[in-house]
Amino acid sequence: MRKIINLICSKSKLARDLRFKFSFIRKTGYIPSFTNPKTFNEKINYRKNNYKHELFSVCSDKIKSKEYVAEKLSEDYIIENYYVGDNITTEKLKELLAEKGDLLLKANHNSGPVYLITTDATDDEIKRKVDDVNNQLTQDYGKRLNEPWYSEIKPRVLVEKRLLPQEGETDIRDYKFHIFKQNDGSFKIVLQVDFERNDNYTRSFFDEDLNWLPFHSDIAACIHTSIEKPKNYDEMLAAAKILAEPFSYVRVDFYNVDGAIYFGELTFAHGSGRAAFCHKVYDLWLGRLWQNDPSY
């Protein structure tokens, strides 16, 4: 019986791996090598299959990562938690809405969906989103996307304060620092900025001096080829480097609201290793920036 179960499991894993490779080829346009990786996406997948860093699960946990960042940087970077628990009821969420105003509802052990719930949300909308997040807690996200460090996280519900966008914008800007540690201990940085994510979503890439990088992803159009230097940008950049120090590569996300800097998340498998760029040459270029062992 055990042999039969093992055979079924191995076939199931093989089928899952084949589906992922077909998806990878469809999205990126090339056949990958996950054992001898050269591109950025190939190295992400090598990491997924060979990860060794004990901090991956801690820093991917949306609850524990806040504690980690508060210790490494300061409590000032942390978005306020309204609620943490093993589940949540519609009654509890409505109570928080009445007391706190607009808020964000999410699970801590995956990459979404994250729900913005406003004070004018209907009872049906609240129930639907509460039910979905509670259901997310039953799913092994790490196994589903082969990002095994997520499987080590205890699933919980997190409700946190909503950050409001700056005047003139409909959504908060997301500053995502792709940080590659070099052989000499320095860093190469590619800054990804996501604009108007919930309305007119666009994405642009810049170097750490905010010079535009002329490539784009297939996720969102690129319309911003310049950007004003955010208030306290140097502080945000320095904080990102501190958080990146233990890793060969990590994506460090921050929000910057009129100079107030807030930690978003740490991500170790951007796009789950199938983030398509406008041409493979940029995937290779990013891969060359990644000089150290992807396992870490």
Side-chain angles (χ1 to χ4, degrees), residues 46-57 148-149 152 246-247 293-296:
Y46 181 90
R47 167 176 279 184
K48 288 166 62 174
N49 293 321
N50 301 278
Y51 98 98
K52 297 176 182 177
H53 208 305
E54 61 184 10
L55 283 176
F56 282 7
S57 60
W149 49 90
E152 299 172 7
F247 311 109
D293 185 353
S295 301
Y296 297 91

Side-chain angles (χ1 to χ4, degrees), residues 12 110 193 198 202 233 261:
S12 175
N110 59 21
V193 184
N198 294 311
T202 66
Y233 173 74
I261 301 166

Side-chain angles (χ1 to χ4, degrees), residues 251-268:
R251 199 191 77 208
V252 182
D253 297 1
F254 284 115
Y255 305 107
N256 187 321
V257 183
D258 198 28
I261 301 166
Y262 297 96
F263 168 69
E265 64 178 318
L266 293 167
T267 298
F268 299 99

Side-chain angles (χ1 to χ4, degrees), residues 42-102:
E42 287 172 338
K43 290 185 177 183
I44 288 288
N45 281 282
Y46 181 90
R47 167 176 279 184
K48 288 166 62 174
N49 293 321
N50 301 278
Y51 98 98
K52 297 176 182 177
H53 208 305
E54 61 184 10
L55 283 176
F56 282 7
S57 60
V58 172
C59 292
S60 296
D61 184 327
K62 291 183 174 66
I63 298 167
K64 288 186 177 180
S65 63
K66 288 187 175 186
E67 300 169 2
Y68 177 82
V69 171
E71 181 179 337
K72 290 290 182 181
L73 300 176
S74 165
E75 288 280 356
D76 295 338
Y77 290 89
I78 304 305
I79 299 172
E80 181 183 355
N81 291 346
Y82 289 158
Y83 173 85
V84 173
D86 294 332
N87 55 59
I88 192 167
T89 64
T90 55
E91 291 75 20
K92 180 61 180 179
L93 194 67
K94 289 168 71 173
E95 177 186 318
L96 290 170
L97 276 171
E99 178 184 353
K100 302 290 190 179
D102 298 352

Side-chain angles (χ1 to χ4, degrees), residues 147-184:
E147 296 180 27
W149 49 90
Y150 281 106
S151 297
E152 299 172 7
I153 299 171
K154 179 184 177 181
R156 306 195 79 193
V157 174
L158 172 61
V159 181
E160 66 182 20
K161 179 180 180 179
R162 179 197 182 183
L163 299 179
L164 295 174
Q166 295 182 181
E167 186 176 352
E169 299 186 3
T170 61
D171 202 359
I172 192 166
R173 287 189 186 183
D174 202 347
Y175 296 89
K176 299 177 181 291
F177 294 84
H178 296 264
I179 305 183
F180 303 87
K181 194 170 189 179
Q182 304 299 285
N183 290 329
D184 63 1

Side-chain angles (χ1 to χ4, degrees), residues 9-273:
C9 290
S10 65
K11 286 186 175 181
S12 175
K13 184 179 186 306
L14 177 61
R16 188 167 62 247
D17 290 346
L18 286 173
R19 284 196 301 270
F20 182 87
K21 282 201 172 182
F22 282 128
S23 174
F24 183 102
I25 294 167
R26 187 176 68 252
K27 286 177 176 290
T28 65
Y30 67 90
I31 298 172
S33 171
F34 295 157
T35 56
N36 183 31
K38 290 182 170 53
T39 70
F40 174 69
N41 278 304
E42 287 172 338
K43 290 185 177 183
I44 288 288
N45 281 282
Y46 181 90
R47 167 176 279 184
K48 288 166 62 174
N49 293 321
N50 301 278
Y51 98 98
K52 297 176 182 177
H53 208 305
E54 61 184 10
L55 283 176
F56 282 7
S57 60
V58 172
C59 292
S60 296
D61 184 327
K62 291 183 174 66
I63 298 167
K64 288 186 177 180
S65 63
K66 288 187 175 186
E67 300 169 2
Y68 177 82
V69 171
E71 181 179 337
K72 290 290 182 181
L73 300 176
S74 165
E75 288 280 356
D76 295 338
Y77 290 89
I78 304 305
I79 299 172
E80 181 183 355
N81 291 346
Y82 289 158
Y83 173 85
V84 173
D86 294 332
N87 55 59
I88 192 167
T89 64
T90 55
E91 291 75 20
K92 180 61 180 179
L93 194 67
K94 289 168 71 173
E95 177 186 318
L96 290 170
L97 276 171
E99 178 184 353
K100 302 290 190 179
D102 298 352
L103 47 78
L104 293 172
L105 171 67
K106 62 182 77 172
N108 71 318
H109 73 304
N110 59 21
S111 61
V114 175
Y115 291 118
L116 168 62
I117 303 182
T118 62
T119 54
D120 58 0
T122 65
D123 287 350
D124 285 346
E125 179 185 357
I126 292 172
K127 182 179 186 307
R128 175 167 47 83
K129 293 178 178 178
V130 163
D131 288 346
D132 182 67
V133 169
N134 283 329
N135 182 60
Q136 289 178 38
L137 303 184
T138 68
Q139 301 172 20
D140 188 335
Y141 180 80
K143 186 175 182 180
R144 183 160 62 87
L145 285 184
N146 190 30
E147 296 180 27
W149 49 90
Y150 281 106
S151 297
E152 299 172 7
I153 299 171
K154 179 184 177 181
R156 306 195 79 193
V157 174
L158 172 61
V159 181
E160 66 182 20
K161 179 180 180 179
R162 179 197 182 183
L163 299 179
L164 295 174
Q166 295 182 181
E167 186 176 352
E169 299 186 3
T170 61
D171 202 359
I172 192 166
R173 287 189 186 183
D174 202 347
Y175 296 89
K176 299 177 181 291
F177 294 84
H178 296 264
I179 305 183
F180 303 87
K181 194 170 189 179
Q182 304 299 285
N183 290 329
D184 63 1
S186 64
F187 297 105
K188 293 290 187 181
I189 296 176
V190 173
L191 172 60
Q192 168 190 325
V193 184
D194 288 357
F195 303 86
E196 309 287 352
R197 194 177 185 103
N198 294 311
D199 186 16
N200 184 29
Y201 184 26
T202 66
R203 171 180 291 177
S204 297
F205 293 92
F206 304 89
D207 66 17
E208 77 172 78
D209 296 319
L210 302 181
N211 299 302
W212 178 60
L213 298 172
F215 69 93
H216 61 85
S217 72
D218 69 341
I219 297 297
C222 170
I223 64 172
H224 297 275
T225 58
S226 64
I227 186 174
E228 291 185 6
K229 188 174 183 178
K231 291 182 181 178
N232 296 325
Y233 173 74
D234 293 339
E235 177 190 344
M236 186 163 60
L237 179 61
K241 290 179 179 179
I242 290 171
L243 295 180
E245 178 60 37
F247 311 109
S248 65
Y249 159 80
V250 65
R251 199 191 77 208
V252 182
D253 297 1
F254 284 115
Y255 305 107
N256 187 321
V257 183
D258 198 28
I261 301 166
Y262 297 96
F263 168 69
E265 64 178 318
L266 293 167
T267 298
F268 299 99
H270 174 75
S272 199

